[in-house]
Coordinates of all heavy atoms in Angstrom, one line a residue:
M670 N -0.7 7.5 18.8 CA 0.7 7.8 18.8 C 1.3 7.4 17.5 O 0.9 6.4 16.9 CB 1.3 6.9 20.0 CG 2.8 7.1 20.0 SD 3.5 6.8 21.6 CE 3.7 5.0 21.6
A671 N 2.1 8.2 17.0 CA 2.8 8.0 15.7 C 3.6 6.7 15.7 O 4.3 6.5 16.7 CB 3.6 9.1 15.2
G672 N 3.6 6.0 14.6 CA 4.4 4.8 14.4 C 5.9 5.0 14.6 O 6.7 4.1 14.9
Y673 N 6.4 6.2 14.4 CA 7.8 6.5 14.5 C 8.2 7.1 15.9 O 9.3 7.6 16.0 CB 8.2 7.4 13.4 CG 7.5 8.8 13.4 CD1 7.9 9.9 14.1 CD2 6.3 9.0 12.6 CE1 7.2 11.0 14.1 CE2 5.7 10.1 12.6 CZ 6.1 11.1 13.3 OH 5.4 12.4 13.3
A674 N 7.3 7.1 16.8 CA 7.5 7.7 18.1 C 8.8 7.2 18.8 O 9.5 8.0 19.4 CB 6.3 7.5 19.1
D675 N 9.1 6.0 18.7 CA 10.3 5.4 19.3 C 11.6 5.9 18.6 O 12.7 5.8 19.2 CB 10.3 3.9 19.3 CG 9.2 3.3 20.3 OD1 8.7 4.1 21.1 OD2 8.8 2.2 20.1
T676 N 11.5 6.3 17.3 CA 12.7 6.7 16.6 C 12.6 8.1 16.2 O 13.4 8.6 15.4 CB 12.9 5.8 15.3 OG1 11.7 5.8 14.5 CG2 13.1 4.4 15.7
K677 N 11.8 8.9 16.8 CA 11.6 10.3 16.5 C 12.9 11.1 16.5 O 13.2 11.8 15.6 CB 10.6 11.0 17.5 CG 10.3 12.3 17.2 CD 9.2 12.8 18.2 CE 8.8 14.2 18.0 NZ 7.8 14.6 19.0
H678 N 13.7 10.8 17.5 CA 15.0 11.5 17.6 C 15.9 11.2 16.4 O 16.5 12.2 15.7 CB 15.7 11.2 18.9 CG 17.1 11.8 19.0 ND1 17.3 13.2 19.2 CD2 18.3 11.2 18.8 CE1 18.6 13.4 19.2 NE2 19.3 12.3 19.0
D679 N 16.0 10.0 16.0 CA 16.8 9.5 14.8 C 16.2 10.2 13.6 O 17.0 10.7 12.7 CB 16.8 8.0 14.7 CG 17.5 7.3 15.8 OD1 18.3 8.0 16.5 OD2 17.1 6.2 16.1
H680 N 14.9 10.2 13.4 CA 14.3 10.9 12.2 C 14.7 12.3 12.2 O 15.0 12.9 11.1 CB 12.8 10.6 12.2 CG 12.4 9.2 11.8 ND1 12.9 8.6 10.7 CD2 11.6 8.4 12.4 CE1 12.4 7.4 10.6 NE2 11.6 7.2 11.6
A681 N 14.6 13.0 13.3 CA 14.9 14.4 13.3 C 16.3 14.7 13.0 O 16.6 15.6 12.2 CB 14.6 15.0 14.7
M682 N 17.2 13.9 13.4 CA 18.7 14.0 13.1 C 18.9 13.8 11.6 O 19.6 14.6 11.0 CB 19.5 13.0 13.9 CG 19.6 13.2 15.4 SD 20.2 14.8 15.8 CE 22.0 14.4 15.3
R683 N 18.2 12.8 11.0 CA 18.3 12.6 9.6 C 17.8 13.8 8.8 O 18.5 14.2 7.8 CB 17.5 11.4 9.1 CG 18.2 10.0 9.6 CD 17.3 8.9 9.2 NE 17.7 8.5 7.8 CZ 17.2 7.4 7.2 NH1 16.4 6.6 7.9 NH2 17.5 7.1 6.0
L684 N 16.7 14.4 9.2 CA 16.1 15.5 8.5 C 17.1 16.7 8.7 O 17.2 17.5 7.8 CB 14.8 15.8 9.0 CG 13.7 14.8 8.6 CD1 12.4 15.1 9.3 CD2 13.5 14.8 7.1
R685 N 17.7 16.9 9.8 CA 18.7 18.0 10.0 C 19.9 17.8 9.0 O 20.4 18.8 8.4 CB 19.2 18.0 11.4 CG 18.2 18.7 12.3 CD 18.9 18.9 13.7 NE 17.9 19.0 14.7 CZ 17.4 18.0 15.5 NH1 17.8 16.8 15.2 NH2 16.4 18.2 16.4
R686 N 20.2 16.6 8.8 CA 21.4 16.3 7.8 C 20.9 16.7 6.4 O 21.6 17.3 5.6 CB 21.9 14.9 7.8 CG 22.8 14.6 9.0 CD 23.5 13.3 8.8 NE 22.6 12.1 9.0 CZ 22.2 11.5 10.1 NH1 22.7 12.0 11.2 NH2 21.5 10.5 10.0
V687 N 19.7 16.3 6.0 CA 19.1 16.7 4.7 C 19.0 18.2 4.6 O 19.4 18.8 3.6 CB 17.7 16.0 4.5 CG1 17.1 16.6 3.2 CG2 17.9 14.5 4.4
E688 N 18.6 18.9 5.7 CA 18.5 20.3 5.7 C 19.9 20.9 5.4 O 20.0 21.9 4.7 CB 18.0 20.8 7.0 CG 17.8 22.3 7.2 CD 17.3 22.7 8.5 OE1 17.4 21.9 9.5 OE2 16.7 23.8 8.5
G689 N 20.9 20.3 6.1 CA 22.3 20.8 5.8 C 22.7 20.6 4.4 O 23.3 21.5 3.9
Q690 N 22.3 19.5 3.8 CA 22.7 19.3 2.4 C 22.0 20.4 1.5 O 22.6 20.8 0.5 CB 22.2 17.8 2.0 CG 23.1 16.8 2.5 CD 22.5 15.4 2.1 OE1 21.3 15.1 2.4 NE2 23.4 14.6 1.6
I691 N 20.8 20.7 1.8 CA 20.0 21.7 1.0 C 20.7 23.0 1.2 O 20.8 23.8 0.2 CB 18.5 21.8 1.4 CG1 17.8 20.4 1.2 CG2 17.8 22.9 0.6 CD1 17.9 19.8 -0.2
R692 N 21.1 23.4 2.4 CA 21.8 24.7 2.6 C 23.1 24.7 1.8 O 23.5 25.7 1.2 CB 22.1 24.9 4.1 CG 20.8 25.3 4.8 CD 21.2 25.9 6.2 NE 20.0 26.1 7.0 CZ 19.8 25.6 8.2 NH1 20.7 24.7 8.7 NH2 18.7 25.8 8.8
G693 N 23.8 23.5 1.8 CA 25.0 23.4 1.0 C 24.8 23.6 -0.4 O 25.5 24.3 -1.2
L694 N 23.6 23.1 -0.9 CA 23.3 23.4 -2.3 C 23.0 24.9 -2.6 O 23.5 25.3 -3.6 CB 22.0 22.6 -2.8 CG 22.2 21.1 -3.0 CD1 20.8 20.3 -2.9 CD2 22.9 20.9 -4.3
Q695 N 22.4 25.5 -1.7 CA 22.2 27.0 -1.9 C 23.5 27.7 -1.9 O 23.8 28.6 -2.8 CB 21.4 27.5 -0.7 CG 19.9 27.1 -0.7 CD 19.2 27.4 0.6 OE1 19.7 27.5 1.7 NE2 17.9 27.8 0.5
R696 N 24.5 27.3 -1.0 CA 25.8 27.9 -1.1 C 26.5 27.6 -2.3 O 27.2 28.5 -2.9 CB 26.6 27.5 0.1 CG 26.2 28.1 1.4 CD 27.3 27.9 2.6 NE 27.4 26.4 2.8 CZ 26.6 25.7 3.6 NH1 25.6 26.3 4.2 NH2 26.9 24.5 3.8
M697 N 26.4 26.4 -2.8 CA 27.1 26.1 -4.1 C 26.5 27.0 -5.2 O 27.3 27.4 -6.0 CB 26.8 24.6 -4.4 CG 27.5 23.6 -3.6 SD 27.2 21.9 -3.9 CE 28.3 21.6 -5.3
V698 N 25.2 27.2 -5.3 CA 24.7 28.0 -6.4 C 25.1 29.5 -6.2 O 25.5 30.2 -7.2 CB 23.1 27.9 -6.4 CG1 22.5 29.0 -7.3 CG2 22.7 26.5 -6.8
E699 N 25.0 29.9 -4.9 CA 25.5 31.3 -4.7 C 27.0 31.5 -5.0 O 27.4 32.6 -5.5 CB 25.4 31.6 -3.2 CG 23.9 31.8 -2.8 CD 23.6 31.9 -1.3 OE1 24.6 31.8 -0.5 OE2 22.4 32.0 -0.9
D700 N 27.8 30.4 -4.9 CA 29.2 30.5 -5.1 C 29.6 30.1 -6.6 O 30.8 29.9 -6.9 CB 30.0 29.6 -4.2 CG 29.9 30.0 -2.8 OD1 29.5 31.2 -2.5 OD2 30.2 29.2 -1.8
D701 N 28.5 29.9 -7.4 CA 28.7 29.6 -8.9 C 29.5 28.3 -9.1 O 30.4 28.3 -9.9 CB 29.4 30.8 -9.6 CG 28.5 32.0 -9.7 OD1 27.2 31.8 -9.8 OD2 29.0 33.1 -9.5
K702 N 29.2 27.3 -8.3 CA 30.0 26.0 -8.5 C 29.6 25.4 -9.7 O 28.5 25.6 -10.3 CB 29.7 25.1 -7.3 CG 30.1 25.6 -5.9 CD 31.7 25.7 -5.9 CE 32.1 26.2 -4.5 NZ 33.5 26.4 -4.5
Y703 N 30.4 24.5 -10.2 CA 30.2 23.8 -11.5 C 28.9 23.0 -11.4 O 28.6 22.3 -10.5 CB 31.4 22.8 -11.7 CG 31.5 22.1 -13.0 CD1 31.4 22.8 -14.2 CD2 31.5 20.7 -13.0 CE1 31.5 22.2 -15.4 CE2 31.5 20.0 -14.2 CZ 31.5 20.8 -15.4 OH 31.6 20.1 -16.6
C704 N 28.1 23.1 -12.5 CA 26.8 22.5 -12.6 C 26.8 21.0 -12.2 O 25.9 20.5 -11.4 CB 26.2 22.6 -14.0 SG 26.1 24.3 -14.6
I705 N 27.7 20.2 -12.7 CA 27.8 18.8 -12.4 C 28.0 18.6 -10.9 O 27.4 17.6 -10.3 CB 28.9 18.1 -13.2 CG1 28.5 18.2 -14.8 CG2 28.9 16.6 -12.8 CD1 27.2 17.6 -15.1
D706 N 28.8 19.4 -10.3 CA 29.0 19.2 -8.8 C 27.7 19.5 -8.1 O 27.4 18.8 -7.1 CB 30.1 20.2 -8.4 CG 31.5 19.9 -8.9 OD1 31.6 18.6 -9.3 OD2 32.4 20.7 -8.9
V707 N 26.9 20.5 -8.5 CA 25.7 20.8 -7.9 C 24.7 19.6 -8.1 O 24.0 19.2 -7.2 CB 25.1 22.1 -8.4 CG1 23.7 22.4 -7.8 CG2 26.0 23.4 -8.1
L708 N 24.7 19.1 -9.3 CA 23.8 18.0 -9.6 C 24.1 16.8 -8.8 O 23.2 16.0 -8.3 CB 23.8 17.7 -11.1 CG 23.1 18.8 -12.0 CD1 23.4 18.5 -13.5 CD2 21.6 18.8 -11.7
T709 N 25.4 16.6 -8.5 CA 25.8 15.4 -7.7 C 25.3 15.6 -6.3 O 24.8 14.7 -5.7 CB 27.3 15.3 -7.7 OG1 27.8 15.1 -9.1 CG2 27.9 14.2 -6.8
Q710 N 25.4 16.8 -5.8 CA 24.8 17.1 -4.4 C 23.3 16.9 -4.4 O 22.7 16.6 -3.4 CB 25.3 18.4 -4.0 CG 26.8 18.4 -3.6 CD 27.2 17.3 -2.7 OE1 26.7 17.1 -1.7 NE2 28.3 16.6 -3.1
V711 N 22.6 17.4 -5.5 CA 21.2 17.2 -5.6 C 20.8 15.8 -5.4 O 19.9 15.4 -4.7 CB 20.6 17.9 -6.8 CG1 19.2 17.5 -7.1 CG2 20.7 19.4 -6.8
S712 N 21.5 14.9 -6.2 CA 21.3 13.5 -6.2 C 21.5 13.0 -4.8 O 20.7 12.1 -4.2 CB 22.2 12.8 -7.1 OG 22.1 11.4 -7.1
A713 N 22.5 13.4 -4.1 CA 22.8 12.9 -2.6 C 21.7 13.3 -1.7 O 21.2 12.5 -0.9 CB 24.1 13.4 -2.2
A714 N 21.2 14.6 -1.9 CA 20.1 15.1 -1.0 C 18.8 14.3 -1.3 O 18.1 13.9 -0.4 CB 19.9 16.6 -1.2
T715 N 18.5 14.1 -2.6 CA 17.4 13.4 -3.0 C 17.4 11.9 -2.4 O 16.4 11.4 -1.9 CB 17.2 13.3 -4.5 OG1 17.2 14.7 -5.0 CG2 16.0 12.6 -5.0
S716 N 18.5 11.3 -2.5 CA 18.7 9.9 -2.0 C 18.5 10.0 -0.5 O 17.8 9.0 0.1 CB 20.1 9.4 -2.4 OG 20.2 8.2 -1.9
A717 N 19.0 10.9 0.2 CA 18.8 10.9 1.7 C 17.4 11.1 2.1 O 16.9 10.5 3.0 CB 19.7 12.1 2.3
L718 N 16.7 12.0 1.4 CA 15.3 12.3 1.6 C 14.4 11.0 1.3 O 13.6 10.6 2.1 CB 14.8 13.4 0.9 CG 13.5 14.1 1.3 CD1 13.5 14.4 2.9 CD2 13.2 15.3 0.5
R719 N 14.8 10.4 0.2 CA 14.0 9.1 -0.2 C 14.2 8.0 0.9 O 13.4 7.3 1.3 CB 14.5 8.6 -1.5 CG 13.7 7.4 -2.0 CD 14.0 7.1 -3.5 NE 13.6 8.0 -4.4 CZ 14.3 8.8 -5.2 NH1 15.7 8.6 -5.1 NH2 13.8 9.7 -6.0
S720 N 15.5 7.9 1.3 CA 15.8 6.9 2.4 C 15.0 7.2 3.7 O 14.5 6.3 4.3 CB 17.3 7.0 2.7 OG 17.6 6.1 3.8
F721 N 14.9 8.5 4.0 CA 14.1 8.9 5.1 C 12.7 8.4 5.0 O 12.0 7.9 5.8 CB 14.2 10.4 5.4 CG 13.1 10.9 6.3 CD1 13.3 10.7 7.7 CD2 12.0 11.6 5.9 CE1 12.3 11.1 8.6 CE2 11.1 12.0 6.8 CZ 11.2 11.8 8.1
A722 N 12.1 8.7 3.8 CA 10.7 8.4 3.5 C 10.5 6.9 3.6 O 9.5 6.5 4.1 CB 10.4 8.9 2.1
L723 N 11.4 6.1 3.0 CA 11.3 4.7 3.1 C 11.3 4.2 4.5 O 10.5 3.2 4.9 CB 12.3 4.0 2.2 CG 12.1 4.2 0.7 CD1 13.3 3.6 0.0 CD2 10.9 3.6 0.2
S724 N 12.1 4.7 5.4 CA 12.2 4.3 6.8 C 11.0 4.7 7.5 O 10.4 3.8 8.2 CB 13.4 5.1 7.4 OG 13.5 4.8 8.7
L725 N 10.4 5.8 7.2 CA 9.2 6.3 7.8 C 8.0 5.4 7.3 O 7.1 4.9 8.1 CB 8.9 7.7 7.5 CG 7.8 8.4 8.3 CD1 8.2 8.5 9.8 CD2 7.7 9.8 7.8
L726 N 8.0 5.0 6.1 CA 7.0 4.2 5.5 C 7.0 2.7 6.1 O 6.0 2.2 6.5 CB 7.1 4.0 4.0 CG 6.1 3.1 3.3 CD1 4.7 3.6 3.5 CD2 6.5 3.0 1.8
E727 N 8.2 2.3 6.3 CA 8.4 0.9 6.9 C 7.9 0.9 8.4 O 7.2 0.0 8.8 CB 9.9 0.6 7.0 CG 10.2 -0.8 7.5 CD 11.7 -1.1 7.6 OE1 12.5 -0.5 6.8 OE2 12.1 -1.9 8.3
E728 N 8.1 2.0 9.1 CA 7.6 2.1 10.5 C 6.0 2.2 10.5 O 5.4 1.6 11.3 CB 8.2 3.2 11.2 CG 9.7 3.0 11.5 CD 10.3 4.1 12.3 OE1 9.7 5.2 12.4 OE2 11.4 3.9 12.7
H729 N 5.5 2.9 9.5 CA 4.1 3.1 9.4 C 3.5 1.8 9.1 O 2.5 1.4 9.7 CB 3.7 4.0 8.3 CG 2.2 4.2 8.0 ND1 1.4 4.8 8.9 CD2 1.5 3.8 7.0 CE1 0.2 4.8 8.5 NE2 0.2 4.2 7.3
L730 N 4.0 0.9 8.2 CA 3.5 -0.4 7.9 C 3.6 -1.3 9.1 O 2.6 -2.0 9.5 CB 4.3 -1.0 6.7 CG 4.0 -0.4 5.3 CD1 5.0 -0.9 4.3 CD2 2.6 -0.5 4.9
A731 N 4.7 -1.3 9.8 CA 4.9 -2.2 10.9 C 4.1 -1.8 12.1 O 3.7 -2.6 13.0 CB 6.4 -2.1 11.4
H732 N 3.7 -0.6 12.3 CA 3.0 -0.1 13.4 C 1.5 0.2 13.1 O 0.6 -0.6 13.5 CB 3.6 1.2 14.0 CG 3.0 1.7 15.2 ND1 2.0 2.7 15.2 CD2 3.0 1.3 16.6 CE1 1.5 2.9 16.4 NE2 2.1 2.1 17.2
C733 N 1.3 1.2 12.4 CA -0.1 1.7 12.1 C -0.9 0.7 11.3 O -2.1 0.4 11.6 CB -0.1 3.0 11.4 SG 0.7 4.3 12.4
V734 N -0.3 0.2 10.1 CA -1.1 -0.7 9.3 C -1.2 -2.0 9.9 O -2.3 -2.6 9.9 CB -0.4 -0.8 8.0 CG1 -1.1 -1.8 7.0 CG2 -0.4 0.6 7.2
A735 N -0.2 -2.5 10.6 CA -0.3 -3.9 11.2 C -1.4 -3.8 12.3 O -2.1 -4.8 12.4 CB 1.1 -4.2 11.8
E736 N -1.3 -2.8 13.1 CA -2.3 -2.7 14.2 C -3.7 -2.7 13.7 O -4.6 -3.3 14.2 CB -2.0 -1.4 15.0 CG -2.8 -1.3 16.3 CD -2.3 -0.1 17.0 OE1 -1.3 0.0 17.6 OE2 -3.2 0.9 17.1
A737 N -3.9 -1.9 12.6 CA -5.2 -1.8 12.0 C -5.8 -3.1 11.5 O -6.9 -3.5 11.6 CB -5.3 -0.7 11.0
T738 N -4.8 -3.8 10.8 CA -5.2 -5.1 10.2 C -5.5 -6.2 11.2 O -6.4 -7.0 11.0 CB -4.1 -5.7 9.3 OG1 -2.9 -5.7 9.9 CG2 -4.0 -4.8 8.0
L739 N -4.9 -6.1 12.4 CA -5.3 -6.9 13.5 C -6.7 -6.7 14.0 O -7.4 -7.6 14.4 CB -4.3 -6.8 14.7 CG -3.0 -7.4 14.4 CD1 -2.0 -7.0 15.7 CD2 -3.0 -8.9 14.3
K740 N -7.1 -5.5 14.0 CA -8.5 -5.1 14.3 C -9.4 -5.4 13.3 O -10.6 -5.7 13.6 CB -8.5 -3.6 14.7 CG -7.8 -3.2 15.9 CD -7.9 -1.7 16.2 CE -7.0 -1.3 17.3 NZ -7.0 0.2 17.5
G741 N -9.0 -5.4 12.1 CA -9.8 -5.7 10.9 C -10.9 -4.5 10.6 O -10.8 -3.4 11.2
G742 N -11.8 -4.8 9.7 CA -12.8 -3.9 9.4 C -12.4 -2.8 8.5 O -11.3 -2.8 7.8
P743 N -13.2 -1.7 8.4 CA -13.0 -0.7 7.5 C -11.8 0.1 7.7 O -11.1 0.7 6.8 CB -14.2 0.3 7.6 CG -15.1 -0.4 8.6 CD -14.6 -1.6 9.1
E744 N -11.4 0.2 9.0 CA -10.1 1.0 9.3 C -9.0 0.2 8.7 O -8.0 0.9 8.2 CB -9.9 1.1 10.9 CG -8.7 1.8 11.3 CD -8.5 2.0 12.8 OE1 -9.3 1.6 13.6 OE2 -7.4 2.4 13.2
A745 N -8.9 -1.1 8.8 CA -7.9 -1.8 8.1 C -7.7 -1.5 6.7 O -6.7 -1.3 6.1 CB -8.0 -3.3 8.4
D746 N -8.9 -1.6 6.1 CA -8.9 -1.4 4.6 C -8.4 0.1 4.3 O -7.7 0.3 3.4 CB -10.4 -1.5 4.1 CG -10.8 -3.0 4.2 OD1 -10.0 -3.9 4.3 OD2 -12.1 -3.1 4.2
A747 N -8.9 1.0 5.1 CA -8.4 2.4 4.9 C -6.9 2.6 5.1 O -6.3 3.3 4.3 CB -9.2 3.3 5.9
K748 N -6.3 1.9 6.1 CA -4.9 2.0 6.4 C -4.1 1.4 5.2 O -3.1 1.9 4.8 CB -4.5 1.4 7.7 CG -5.0 2.2 8.9 CD -4.2 3.4 9.1 CE -4.7 4.2 10.3 NZ -4.1 5.4 10.5
V749 N -4.6 0.3 4.7 CA -3.8 -0.4 3.6 C -3.9 0.5 2.4 O -2.9 0.7 1.7 CB -4.4 -1.8 3.3 CG1 -3.9 -2.3 2.0 CG2 -4.1 -2.7 4.5
K750 N -5.1 1.1 2.1 CA -5.3 2.0 0.9 C -4.3 3.2 1.1 O -3.7 3.7 0.1 CB -6.7 2.4 0.8 CG -7.0 3.5 -0.2 CD -7.3 3.0 -1.6 CE -7.8 4.1 -2.4 NZ -6.8 4.8 -3.1
E751 N -4.3 3.8 2.3 CA -3.6 4.9 2.6 C -2.0 4.6 2.4 O -1.3 5.5 1.7 CB -3.7 5.4 4.0 CG -3.0 6.5 4.5 CD -3.3 6.8 6.0 OE1 -2.9 5.9 6.8 OE2 -3.9 7.8 6.3
A752 N -1.6 3.5 2.8 CA -0.2 3.1 2.7 C 0.1 2.9 1.2 O 1.2 3.3 0.6 CB 0.2 1.8 3.3
S753 N -0.8 2.2 0.5 CA -0.7 2.0 -1.0 C -0.6 3.3 -1.8 O 0.3 3.5 -2.7 CB -1.8 1.2 -1.6 OG -1.8 -0.1 -1.1
D754 N -1.4 4.3 -1.4 CA -1.3 5.6 -2.0 C 0.0 6.3 -1.7 O 0.6 7.0 -2.6 CB -2.5 6.5 -1.5 CG -3.8 6.0 -2.0 OD1 -3.9 5.2 -3.0 OD2 -4.9 6.5 -1.5
A755 N 0.5 6.1 -0.5 CA 1.8 6.8 -0.1 C 2.9 6.1 -1.0 O 3.8 6.8 -1.4 CB 2.1 6.7 1.4
I756 N 2.9 4.8 -1.1 CA 3.9 4.1 -1.9 C 3.9 4.5 -3.3 O 4.9 4.8 -4.0 CB 3.7 2.6 -1.8 CG1 4.0 2.1 -0.4 CG2 4.6 1.8 -2.8 CD1 3.6 0.7 -0.1
A757 N 2.6 4.7 -3.9 CA 2.5 5.2 -5.3 C 3.1 6.6 -5.4 O 3.8 6.8 -6.4 CB 1.1 5.2 -5.6
R758 N 2.9 7.5 -4.4 CA 3.5 8.8 -4.5 C 5.0 8.8 -4.5 O 5.7 9.5 -5.2 CB 2.9 9.6 -3.4 CG 1.5 10.2 -3.5 CD 1.1 11.2 -2.6 NE 1.2 10.8 -1.2 CZ 0.3 10.2 -0.5 NH1 -0.9 9.9 -1.1 NH2 0.5 9.8 0.8
L759 N 5.5 7.9 -3.6 CA 7.0 7.8 -3.6 C 7.6 7.2 -4.8 O 8.6 7.7 -5.3 CB 7.3 6.9 -2.4 CG 7.3 7.4 -1.0 CD1 7.5 6.4 0.1 CD2 8.2 8.6 -0.8
V760 N 6.9 6.3 -5.5 CA 7.3 5.7 -6.7 C 7.4 6.7 -7.8 O 8.3 6.8 -8.6 CB 6.6 4.4 -7.0 CG1 6.8 4.0 -8.5 CG2 6.8 3.3 -6.1
R761 N 6.3 7.6 -7.9 CA 6.2 8.6 -8.9 C 7.2 9.7 -8.8 O 7.6 10.3 -9.7 CB 4.8 9.2 -8.9 CG 3.8 8.3 -9.5 CD 2.5 9.2 -9.8 NE 1.9 9.7 -8.5 CZ 1.0 9.1 -7.8 NH1 0.5 7.9 -8.2 NH2 0.5 9.6 -6.8
S762 N 7.7 9.9 -7.4 CA 8.7 11.1 -7.3 C 10.0 10.8 -7.7 O 10.4 9.7 -8.0 CB 8.6 11.5 -5.9 OG 9.1 10.5 -5.0

């Protein structure tokens, strides 16, 4: 079961809002809106998506990684490495 199973609905709602922001950006470009206004909205959408990712990562750490570390062994090491790699990708983006 996914670590975010209990908050799946909330995550889906957040992603729908991000989707709406992206559609708004498409409309802004189609309507030839001022560049700075478009960039401001890009920043807002990026921030919303980053916030979603951090929330999902937090749940992954609290559920999947914590559970694996309680069991120990190679699975625990793999989950910690997997989480570290995910954090590195988020930091680079």
Side-chain angles (χ1 to χ4, degrees):
M670 180 152 86
Y673 58 87
D675 292 340
T676 56
K677 184 176 179 177
H678 176 74
D679 295 336
H680 286 310
M682 294 297 292
R683 289 178 84 173
L684 288 171
R685 282 190 204 86
R686 281 194 294 274
V687 171
E688 181 181 23
Q690 288 177 303
I691 301 304
R692 284 194 188 123
L694 281 165
Q695 290 171 324
R696 280 191 303 277
M697 290 178 82
V698 170
E699 289 168 0
D700 295 344
D701 296 319
K702 296 295 182 183
Y703 185 57
C704 299
I705 297 302
D706 294 338
V707 176
L708 289 171
T709 298
Q710 291 306 311
V711 167
S712 178
T715 301
S716 178
L718 198 52
R719 185 173 291 115
S720 176
F721 166 77
L723 290 173
S724 176
L725 195 62
L726 178 61
E727 183 179 338
E728 289 180 352
H729 178 68
L730 291 171
H732 180 266
C733 301
V734 176
E736 187 176 292
T738 56
L739 287 175
K740 293 178 184 175
E744 182 183 351
D746 295 338
K748 289 290 182 185
V749 169
K750 170 90 170 87
E751 181 182 63
S753 294
D754 292 346
I756 292 166
R758 284 191 302 274
L759 285 173
V760 169
R761 282 193 301 266
S762 64

